[in-house]
Amino acid sequence: MFGIIRPCRHRLSERLRTSWMAHLCGLCLALRDEAGQLARTATNYDGLIISVLVEAQSPAGTAGGARRTAGPCPLRGMRTAPVARGEGARLAAAVSLALASVKVRDHVADRDGVFARRPVAAGARVVARRWDRQSAGGGSALGFDTAVLLDAAARQEELERSTGLGGSVLLVTEPTETATAAAFAHTAVLGSRPGNAAALAEAGRLFGRLAHLLDAAEDQAADAAAGLWNPLTATGTDRAEAERLCRDAVHGIRLALREVEFTDRALAHLLLAHETGQAVDRVFGHGASCAVGSHQAPGTLPTPKPPRSTLAGCAAWTLMACTCQLLCCEHDDPWSRKRRDSWCARNCDCCDGCDCCDGCDGCDCCDGCDCCGCDC
């Protein structure tokens, strides 16, 4: 999965902020428990949606003891916190680990940065194989076959080799759609709501399409500068068409969610029905951004910064982690130096004056009230 879901603190009530962080930390710790400390680098914002969906459908919801208190962590300012545990976090970890292994292989194949060096590439292949085994074991214990994710990645490579100018960009996004649909559908099994599987598969399929297209649009300039394959450039899909496809996908996700029976829908609905639209606005330059970040003119593409070396990136990550920059403010990725949002941007102005997004417990605006104009 990708990192398109990045809710700012002013769009989350206190309860939802706590729940969001519980799932994020739960995913990180599940990766550590399942595959060791290095696997925590596979933690990503979108992966935790799997954990959120399982809990949102579970009969007991968050009241069923699906939390534990984690010890102090530098990314939380050395504070303890409640974190999500159980099958949802473990499935999110298995999915994130499998997709991280695919991403590592892609970097090796493309000879990106330090991966062009033979010793680094050899070590990365070893890590990817280990993560494949660990994700397969973790998924199997939960009744989920991670082979569907790896098969999708293999098809992706074939499609990229065979698709050229004038080809359908939706043909290229199909493997991502299939993989995400399978992961979303399995949350219905773990959440004891098998009747939700079809609707969640549709939501997952469209989320996969959205994530792939947004990732392509966000990276288009950097890919062009580096000479890397990009689905929008390769198929000749302009940004207006890409944006239309993204907004259609957001609409489809909202329609699919109407068919899903939740125990506690607030966070899942906010992330999938609302934050997806925010992600489209952010990538295509139509929405407000956090005051701590740079304000980019609509329709323009960012100028890529040169990536750091492995050692320099590790040093930057350590400094940023110890000073909570990774958690609490927008920042440059320690290695790629791409601009990244944090979940808790302190000076966010994107919801100026919107009390409903930061006042009501459980964010009722996502469950039917009119204060945010939510009709989904």
Side-chain angles (χ1 to χ4, degrees), residues 124-362:
R125 292 189 189 96
V126 171
V127 170
R129 287 194 293 270
R130 183 169 70 247
W131 283 357
D132 283 346
R133 294 193 301 271
Q134 291 167 330
S135 66
S140 178
L142 300 169
F144 181 72
D145 187 0
T146 57
V148 67
L149 309 180
L150 303 180
D151 290 345
R155 288 206 315 282
Q156 187 75 56
E157 293 177 4
E158 295 174 5
L159 285 170
E160 290 182 4
R161 286 194 295 267
S162 61
T163 303
L165 198 63
S168 171
V169 72
L170 295 185
L171 182 65
V172 179
T173 64
E174 179 276 322
T176 305
E177 295 178 26
T178 300
T180 314
F184 273 44
H186 199 68
T187 67
V189 177
L190 298 183
S192 303
R193 304 269 189 184
N196 287 341
L200 284 171
E202 177 64 6
R205 182 180 69 81
L206 292 170
F207 183 83
R209 173 183 298 180
L210 177 67
H212 199 137
L213 290 173
L214 289 181
D215 187 64
E218 202 166 30
D219 291 347
Q220 192 171 19
D223 288 345
L228 298 178
W229 195 92
N230 183 284
L232 300 183
T233 304
T235 59
T237 304
D238 62 31
R239 292 181 71 83
E241 174 63 8
E243 182 178 354
R244 184 190 69 80
L245 291 172
C246 288
R247 296 199 183 279
D248 284 350
V250 171
H251 181 64
I253 291 170
R254 292 172 176 172
L255 292 178
L257 289 179
R258 291 181 181 179
E259 307 300 320
V260 179
E261 183 179 358
F262 289 114
T263 302
D264 182 354
R265 64 183 281 121
L267 183 58
H269 183 85
L270 184 141
L271 296 178
L272 289 171
H274 292 270
E275 289 301 324
T276 48
Q278 292 286 340
V280 176
D281 289 341
R282 182 180 66 250
V283 170
F284 290 99
H286 300 311
S289 60
C290 291
V292 295
S294 58
H295 290 266
Q296 186 176 311
T300 62
L301 295 176
T303 301
K305 299 178 182 179
R308 291 188 177 96
S309 67
T310 301
L311 290 178
C314 288
W317 186 93
T318 302
L319 175 63
M320 295 165 73
C322 292
T323 56
C324 292
Q325 293 179 56
L326 295 177
L327 180 66
C328 296
C329 59
E330 192 180 63
H331 58 276
D332 288 346
D333 182 271
W335 287 277
S336 71
R337 302 186 72 174
K338 292 179 182 178
R339 201 64 181 161
R340 304 295 188 195
D341 293 330
S342 76
W343 81 277
C344 55
R346 296 296 180 184
N347 299 312
C348 176
D349 61 2
C350 57
C351 288
D352 254 354
C354 181
D355 293 333
C356 69
C357 291
D358 203 30
C360 60
D361 184 30

